[in-house]
Amino acid sequence: MNIPGEISNTEPSLPLSGYRALDLAGPMGVYCGKLMADMGADVIKVEPPGGDPMRDVGPFIGGQPGPGRSLYWLHFNTNKRSITLDISTPEGAATLRKLALASDVLLETGPPGYMDSLGPGYGGLGYESLAAESPELVYASITPFGQTGPYRDYKASDLVGFAMGGYMYVTGWPDAPPNKLWGSQAYHTASNRAYIAILLALYHRMMTGQGQYIDVSMHEAVAATTEHVNTTYNYTGESAVRCGFRHGGQFVATWRCKDGYASITTNTRAAWDDLRAWMERDGMAGDLMDAQYNDHFVLRGEHSAHIEELVQAWALLHTRQEITEFGQSNHHPWGPAATADEILGNEQLWGRGYFTEVVSPDGPSLVYPGDPYRLSEFPLPVRRAAPAPGEDNVEVLSGILGLSAADVERLSV
């Protein structure tokens, strides 16, 4: 069992310094391990010999695949250590067990029952077996549908999680099939929920001395974050519909303008009046100054198509910056739809330290995105680039378990 403060490779000033976590997670949970590592936990990424398959996931530095060039891997494994270990063999499983008993957290994303199947000679590597020797252990499993229920053995990708969780049906245009948001949104949602649960379990352990098992379902994690969708159905009995460029049927929309797209929110009377007055000054308001449009809630009703046609024609007269500056100067939440290059060059993100340049000893310096929060007492999160496969075999297996150099070499091949 690791005691907070024992390990020396983390900075003692960070919130999770002193906690050790074994990260056996695949894509569904890799972000959870990153969140722990960025907050100071000693996260040890356990990879198969040769390296984790996620190292071959693009995009790649310069668009060229190769060792150490996966931007996907480099992003999701900052501040972690890496060991290579074949946990499917008896000796590899026994070594992992020893590491787990010397750790605070174990994170895994195997199918239900997989961890129990490893190391059968001593009861497997599931929670019950490990907790019998280390009741303080916090053990987190992330699966597509959880450890119980009729779907427990179903397979799922991020796409399936996004679809079955309810998000996909309400994403896209009303007259088109459901769409998927960019990126691994379902995976990241499951990782976020697992991270929160791990923090709660560690807090509970501080109070009681007891660890516990955490069963995270990606399906449930996505379903719990569908915002208005479930609430709408509960109260009205009607399913939410896809709203295209609008948000939930409200007059919160993204409009094409001179140089891209801008979001204009008119969910208050003041915002609506300011918008139509500006349109009137441009000679583009049509009949929107008529009394029948004074109630901004009419925008959700029978006149919405007419209003949207007028607003769209007007928006093409202005740039994103003009629309943003006018809205913000009048205290309305208006802003541009930023492109990827604009995010990387954004003065606000750089000014707050969201982006960090990290120099890798084996490659070029890279700009890393950080965590979307700031803790006043702690430094910025990205301190170390993602490790090479097995980079820390000796440090971990010898330093923690006391294995000889020969044992480490044999286990790592």
Side-chain angles (χ1 to χ4, degrees):
M1 186 64 214
N2 181 51
I3 305 299
E6 277 190 343
I7 58 177
S8 59
N9 71 302
T10 56
E11 300 176 40
S13 62
L14 294 169
L16 293 181
S17 291
Y19 290 100
R20 181 179 297 131
L22 296 185
D23 181 355
L24 287 82
M28 198 178 306
V30 67
Y31 185 44
C32 178
K34 170 183 167 58
L35 290 170
M36 287 191 287
D38 287 353
M39 284 294 103
D42 176 25
V43 177
I44 300 170
K45 186 69 184 171
V46 181
E47 306 184 59
D52 194 292
M54 285 186 287
R55 291 181 177 274
D56 297 322
V57 176
F60 303 96
I61 297 174
Q64 298 296 318
R69 301 185 68 83
S70 167
L71 292 168
Y72 180 95
W73 176 267
L74 292 171
H75 169 63
F76 286 113
N77 292 280
T78 54
N79 301 321
K80 297 180 185 179
R81 297 198 281 177
S82 167
I83 64 169
T84 50
L85 191 64
D86 187 355
I87 62 175
S88 67
T89 67
E91 189 176 18
T95 302
L96 181 65
R97 183 181 184 87
K98 293 175 183 176
L99 277 175
L101 296 176
S103 300
D104 302 284
V105 177
L106 187 148
L107 171 67
E108 61 94 15
T109 56
Y114 172 70
M115 295 298 289
D116 288 304
S117 72
L118 300 173
Y122 41 78
L125 294 174
Y127 173 70
E128 296 295 337
S129 176
L130 293 175
E133 290 189 56
S134 178
E136 304 94 344
L137 180 65
V138 172
Y139 193 117
S141 298
I142 309 175
T143 55
F145 298 99
Q147 302 292 317
T148 59
Y151 296 174
R152 73 183 294 267
D153 295 318
Y154 282 15
K155 307 300 181 185
S157 62
D158 174 80
L159 180 67
V160 172
F162 191 75
M164 292 188 67
Y167 256 122
M168 186 173 291
Y169 186 79
V170 295
T171 301
W173 294 87
D175 56 351
N179 283 272
K180 182 185 182 298
L181 292 177
W182 178 259
S184 301
Q185 300 299 329
Y187 284 170
H188 300 342
T189 299
S191 277
N192 269 304
R193 292 303 188 265
Y195 178 55
I196 293 169
I198 288 169
L199 295 180
L200 291 171
L202 289 174
Y203 179 78
H204 177 262
R205 193 184 78 173
M206 290 173 58
M207 301 296 103
T208 67
Q210 291 295 310
Q212 59 187 292
Y213 182 66
I214 299 170
D215 174 7
V216 177
S217 158
M218 174 176 63
H219 184 212
E220 294 171 8
V222 174
T225 54
T226 52
E227 204 183 60
H228 67 282
V229 174
N230 291 332
T231 304
T232 298
Y233 183 80
N234 289 340
Y235 279 93
T236 68
E238 298 179 359
S239 295
V241 297
R242 291 182 290 284
C243 300
F245 67 101
R246 293 177 292 160
H247 178 269
Q250 304 289 332
F251 201 57
V252 180
T254 302
W255 307 92
R256 185 171 185 85
C257 49
K258 267 187 175 181
D259 58 349
Y261 294 84
S263 177
I264 300 175
T265 299
T266 53
N267 59 342
T268 66
R269 174 65 184 272
W272 170 235
D273 286 347
D274 284 346
L275 174 61
R276 61 179 180 163
W278 189 6
M279 293 173 64
E280 176 72 6
R281 290 193 294 273
D282 287 338
M284 298 291 288
D287 62 347
L288 295 186
M289 300 305 291
D290 292 353
Q292 66 175 325
Y293 298 106
N294 287 345
D295 182 356
H296 67 280
F297 286 105
V298 75
L299 306 175
R300 294 182 296 175
E302 59 186 77
H303 301 291
S304 61
H306 172 62
I307 294 169
E308 288 166 4
E309 182 179 358
L310 291 171
V311 174
Q312 179 58 88
W314 165 83
L316 291 171
L317 298 176
H318 296 280
T319 65
R320 295 176 301 164
Q321 188 65 23
E322 289 169 348
I323 292 172
T324 298
E325 288 182 354
F326 176 85
Q328 293 295 330
S329 65
N330 288 282
H331 312 293
H332 307 315
W334 300 6
T339 59
D341 61 313
E342 289 170 337
I343 291 175
L344 184 58
N346 185 271
E347 60 183 359
Q348 173 72 8
L349 295 175
W350 279 102
R352 282 179 49 80
Y354 174 73
F355 289 121
T356 305
E357 188 168 5
V358 178
V359 178
S360 172
D362 301 316
S365 62
L366 296 173
V367 174
Y368 284 77
D371 294 328
Y373 44 77
R374 294 289 174 271
L375 280 67
S376 63
E377 300 300 318
F378 305 110
L380 299 178
V382 181
R383 305 173 306 282
R384 169 178 168 170
E391 179 179 320
D392 305 289
N393 283 344
V394 173
E395 186 178 275
V396 171
L397 297 178
S398 295
I400 297 175
L401 301 183
L403 299 184
S404 67
D407 288 338
V408 171
E409 184 176 0
R410 185 180 68 257
L411 284 166
S412 305
V413 174

